[in-house]
Amino acid sequence: MLYAIVGEDVPESLEHRLAARPAHLARLTELDAAGRLALAGPCPAIDSPDPGPAGFAGSLIVAEFDSLDDARAWADADPYVAAGVYARVSVRPFRQVFPRS
């Protein structure tokens, strides 16, 4: 089943986010290679695809896991959590309607 993982950044997270980014992307690359990643990306803190020093407000990941517990465990082990980038992370079951797969 798909799960939506939403991470909300702490204020002024950009420096920590950039430092942890390679490890964060490596985990997403593993999900993608396994065919389990539906989409992932950051939410700019301002209305711009390149927010520059404004940084990011959070991230959205939609991926397939065997259970809600597995999705939560994966989210809890994210390098952004360990680096203090996220103030909080929510994980919820997600049912894709569009685009049709």
Side-chain angles (χ1 to χ4, degrees), residues 6-89:
V6 178
E8 296 177 47
D9 282 27
V10 299
E12 314 267 333
S13 64
L14 186 57
E15 183 179 327
H16 295 293
R17 180 181 266 273
L18 292 175
R21 188 171 191 262
H24 173 77
L25 292 180
R27 294 179 83 233
L28 291 172
T29 299
E30 289 176 14
L31 278 180
D32 190 38
R36 297 172 42 206
L37 184 64
L39 65 93
C43 302
I46 60 174
D47 190 12
S48 172
D50 181 4
F56 298 91
S59 303
L60 170 65
I61 299 164
V62 178
E64 185 177 334
F65 293 93
D66 290 333
S67 68
L68 180 57
D69 287 341
D70 287 349
R72 283 186 179 139
W74 187 91
D76 288 345
D78 193 288
Y80 283 173
V81 171
V85 173
Y86 293 149
R88 69 192 133 273
V89 177

